[in-house]
Amino acid sequence: MTTPSVEPLVRAVYAALAVGDADALDAVLAPDFVGEVADGMPVGAGRHEGPQAMREHGWWAIGRRYAVLAEPEEFVGCGDGRLLVTGRYRGTRRADGFAVDAAFTHLWTSRDGRLTALTQVTDTARWTP
């Protein structure tokens, strides 16, 4: 079961990330958004407080080094208003074409029609040779 109010917001994030649309991200992320990128990621790992920090030091940092897409496969409502998304990252490392194919789990939280948090878990070993 998906959480109807959260799922369209999350789908909008994936679409915005696919084309690098900062304005679309700003439309769905709360000013106090906090993103947690998995420890062990070769770039972007750690806690990013605020939409701009998540974009610049999380998503865009990853995008500068990798041409990857987050391909969501399943959306599962958590009953407490959060949404769990599973899927795969697929793409390449820009420097040398190294292929990335790594499973992910994203836990999204929302409040008042905006996304407030993301916790990302991925197999970080799949991002490096």
Side-chain angles (χ1 to χ4, degrees):
M1 174 179 150
T2 61
T3 305
S5 62
V6 180
E7 186 174 334
L9 300 172
V10 170
R11 287 185 182 277
V13 169
Y14 294 124
L17 291 173
V19 296
D21 188 341
D23 291 335
L25 289 171
D26 285 343
V28 297
L29 300 179
D32 61 345
F33 180 85
V34 175
E36 295 274 352
V37 177
D39 289 338
M41 279 290 289
V43 64
R47 181 180 175 94
H48 305 288
E49 297 183 6
Q52 182 176 356
M54 184 61 190
R55 277 194 317 273
E56 293 303 318
H57 305 294
W59 292 318
W60 282 194
I62 294 167
R64 284 188 291 274
R65 189 172 298 177
Y66 295 88
V68 296
L69 289 176
E71 299 176 354
E73 296 170 353
E74 186 174 7
F75 294 76
V76 180
C78 297
D80 60 359
R82 295 181 302 161
L83 183 68
L84 184 71
V85 180
T86 61
R88 298 198 75 77
Y89 293 113
R90 289 191 175 95
T92 58
R93 188 167 52 195
R94 293 183 188 279
D96 59 7
F98 172 77
V100 174
D101 183 359
F104 70 74
T105 300
H106 294 159
L107 181 61
W108 295 93
T109 305
S110 71
R111 180 187 68 249
D112 301 327
R114 305 281 293 271
L115 294 168
T116 58
L118 163 65
T119 301
Q120 177 237 33
V121 177
T122 187
D123 181 352
T124 59
R126 303 289 303 258
W127 288 75
T128 57

